[in-house]
Amino acid sequence: MYGKTICIIVFFVFLIASYSIYMGTVDPTPYFSQLPRGISSSSSPCNSTTGQPLRVFMYDLPRKFNIAMMDPRSSDVEPITAENLPPWSQTSGVQRQHSVEYWLMASLLHGGDEAVRVFDPESADAFYVPFFSSLSFNTHGKNMTDPDTEFDRLLQVELMEYLYNSKYWQRSGGRDHVIPMTHPNAFRFLRQQLNASILIVVDFGRYPRDMARLAKDVVSPYVHVVESFREDGVVDDSTPDPYDSRSILLYFRGNTVRKADGKIRRHLEKLLAGNSDVHYEKSVATTQNIKLSTEGMRSSKFCLHPAGDTPSSCRLFDAIVSHCIPVIISDKIELPFEDEIDYSEFSVFYSVKEALEPGFILDNLRQFPKEKWLQMWENLKNISHHFEFQYPSKREDAVNMLWRQVKHKIPNVKLSVHRNRRLKVPDWWL
């Protein structure tokens, strides 16, 4: 009996020793955790779920597509770099509001927080097409019927031929290509050929739904044309009360003859006339008038933002950097960075129907609590840096915010590209 007991003990000792050796040499985690956990960050096709910047390949287009419109003497002999990039003219007036295309290009040349330029297209998350389509519209012809617009059309034709021959455009159908089109008439001849790409637009006023939509595109701010109010809110004993020091209740200065939803401006002009605390003036964007708008917005509690030819206009962002509470009247407006910024914390919204009711807006604004205005004014100052376009770009400015928005679109782009590679019947559920 003792012998049998000893044999059992020896057996268990042997079993335990064997198991210990096995556990020391084999990872006991489940089998499926040993399968590949995904491509490493150094070779991943998209880092959009990590803290890594977006990797962007920028096409090296001839300068006629971009900076030659700013400087006709520019030569294609040398590549465009951060050192030879011409500065954007400070006297460009209304053209500046559509210059997003320039600032995005500049940020890739210099490098930024949210996006970095890569020279190997195989490692890119997205592809930037540096065609200054808005500047091309503003440069080549004064209106849609001007014969000079033919040059704009030929640029678009040549660009599309270039892209169609790119294996990277062909690989994704252009879905991972980023194309700025902030002027309502930018790329107007061939824009339907870009309906799969990530478009940078200021609103969707002149785009059909099958071409531009929030799910795939990025809403950009206009580039403000008034000077930013840097000294506002520097508090000491001599600082006047910010509410009382702004003597104008409601301010508007701009063109009152507009198309589409912008026709409301003429109605508002009549409704708001004759009120001493309202400044409503018809004006065009000249250097002198921009200076007057700068002074007027800084002297006003509220700045009126009705629709222009499209649902948005530059005036909203002029108001923001002037720390003048925006009063937004537009039923179809889309706003930049709205997944990160709550505009109701520093803006007042009215529907078109409310705005056209006699006395409605002024009665509301005249009864607006001072404490609430001061809180909105503080909120406005805290977010205004998100609407600054500058070179080099700075952390959390408009350029970096835009690249972050592009980065958010990339996972859906990858999903669409991968599905289309294996589907025999695309979008079979429709």
Side-chain angles (χ1 to χ4, degrees):
M1 181 174 178
Y2 288 109
K4 185 176 181 180
T5 302
I6 292 173
C7 288
I8 293 172
I9 293 173
V10 170
F11 172 78
F12 277 107
V13 170
F14 176 81
L15 183 63
I16 293 170
S18 299
Y19 182 74
S20 298
I21 294 172
Y22 173 80
M23 289 296 289
T25 57
V26 178
D27 187 348
T29 52
Y31 167 75
F32 286 105
S33 68
Q34 298 303 304
L35 294 176
R37 297 175 182 265
I39 304 172
S40 67
S41 60
S42 61
S43 60
S44 171
C46 179
N47 283 329
S48 63
T49 57
T50 73
Q52 299 297 317
L54 184 73
R55 296 175 303 212
V56 183
F57 178 85
M58 179 164 61
Y59 284 100
D60 187 16
L61 298 178
R63 297 190 183 198
K64 65 181 178 181
F65 287 99
N66 40 65
I67 65 172
M69 300 180 208
M70 303 169 58
D71 181 7
R73 299 166 298 176
S74 183
S75 169
D76 284 319
V77 174
E78 295 181 352
I80 304 171
T81 65
E83 287 70 33
N84 62 23
L85 179 72
W88 187 271
S89 172
Q90 295 301 313
T91 59
S92 58
V94 71
Q95 289 189 6
R96 178 179 171 82
Q97 66 181 319
H98 301 298
S99 61
V100 173
E101 53 208 12
Y102 168 85
W103 302 105
L104 290 175
M105 179 182 182
S107 72
L108 292 177
L109 292 173
H110 187 273
D113 296 314
E114 297 292 340
V116 293
R117 186 184 185 185
V118 295
F119 292 91
D120 176 10
E122 294 292 343
S123 66
D125 303 321
F127 294 78
Y128 183 65
V129 181
F131 172 41
F132 291 1
S133 59
S134 296
L135 185 57
S136 182
F137 173 79
N138 284 323
T139 303
H140 302 128
K142 296 182 174 61
N143 55 57
M144 296 285 282
T145 60
D146 194 317
D148 288 346
T149 60
E150 176 65 7
F151 190 79
D152 184 25
R153 188 188 72 82
L154 292 176
L155 283 177
Q156 295 171 38
V157 170
E158 185 177 344
L159 177 65
M160 293 313 302
E161 290 177 353
Y162 179 92
L163 292 175
Y164 284 154
N165 288 322
S166 164
K167 73 180 242 184
Y168 300 102
W169 177 278
Q170 296 171 10
R171 185 177 68 181
S172 69
R175 291 178 179 85
D176 52 5
H177 284 54
V178 180
I179 303 177
M181 296 168 54
T182 54
H183 192 290
N185 295 321
F187 225 112
R188 64 196 183 281
F189 295 107
L190 301 179
R191 59 170 54 175
Q192 287 286 357
Q193 298 181 32
L194 304 171
N195 60 2
S197 299
I198 301 173
L199 305 180
I200 309 292
V201 299
V202 291
D203 58 41
F204 299 108
R206 291 190 181 172
Y207 300 95
R209 292 185 179 182
D210 62 347
M211 178 182 176
R213 52 196 179 277
L214 277 175
K216 76 171 185 69
D217 299 317
V218 172
V219 177
S220 170
Y222 282 91
V223 181
H224 64 82
V225 297
V226 304
E227 185 179 347
S228 299
F229 199 179
R230 308 286 185 189
E231 297 78 26
D232 193 22
V234 178
V235 180
D236 56 36
D237 293 339
S238 62
T239 302
D241 183 287
Y243 181 86
D244 295 333
S245 65
R246 292 176 177 251
S247 57
I248 301 171
L249 175 69
L250 183 62
Y251 184 87
F252 174 88
R253 184 185 183 93
N255 199 328
T256 58
V257 179
R258 284 300 180 199
K259 306 171 186 175
D261 292 344
K263 293 177 181 178
I264 191 177
R265 294 185 180 190
R266 295 296 297 272
H267 297 294
L268 291 171
E269 184 179 20
K270 296 176 181 178
L271 286 172
L272 298 173
N275 291 280
S276 60
D277 53 357
V278 176
H279 184 105
Y280 199 103
E281 181 180 357
K282 181 179 180 179
S283 175
V284 294
T286 64
T287 301
Q288 179 60 27
N289 284 339
I290 289 173
K291 289 181 179 179
L292 292 174
S293 291
T294 301
E295 296 170 2
M297 288 185 169
R298 294 181 182 186
S299 302
S300 304
K301 296 178 177 69
F302 298 95
C303 286
L304 190 62
H305 173 69
D309 288 341
T310 62
S312 186
S313 79
C314 183
R315 185 167 292 96
L316 169 60
F317 308 101
D318 287 343
I320 288 174
V321 300
S322 301
H323 305 159
C324 179
I325 305 300
V327 176
I328 299 174
I329 303 171
S330 180
D331 294 338
K332 301 175 183 177
I333 194 170
E334 294 296 342
L335 298 168
F337 323 137
E338 206 162 6
D339 57 337
E340 301 187 55
I341 295 175
D342 182 356
Y343 283 77
S344 67
E345 294 182 349
F346 56 84
S347 305
V348 180
F349 293 86
Y350 295 113
S351 69
V352 170
K353 181 180 179 180
E354 290 172 329
L356 294 178
E357 183 179 333
F360 185 85
I361 291 180
L362 287 183
D363 287 346
N364 275 265
L365 296 182
R366 285 169 178 159
Q367 297 172 25
F368 204 88
K370 177 179 179 179
E371 294 74 17
K372 184 176 180 180
W373 184 93
L374 287 171
Q375 183 58 62
M376 296 181 83
W377 175 72
E378 288 289 352
N379 295 339
L380 191 54
K381 290 192 298 175
N382 289 336
I383 58 87
S384 63
H385 64 284
H386 293 311
F387 301 92
E388 297 290 352
F389 288 86
Q390 53 209 336
Y391 178 73
S393 60
K394 296 182 180 179
R395 185 172 180 81
E396 298 296 309
D397 69 1
V399 174
N400 278 304
M401 294 284 282
L402 282 173
W403 282 125
R404 189 154 72 226
Q405 292 292 307
V406 172
K407 187 177 179 181
H408 293 167
K409 305 296 182 181
I410 298 301
N412 280 339
V413 168
K414 297 298 181 184
L415 171 63
S416 180
V417 170
H418 296 166
R419 288 186 71 256
N420 281 337
R421 286 176 183 170
R422 56 91 176 169
L423 285 178
K424 301 299 182 183
V425 182
D427 296 340
W428 54 266
W429 65 91
L430 295 179

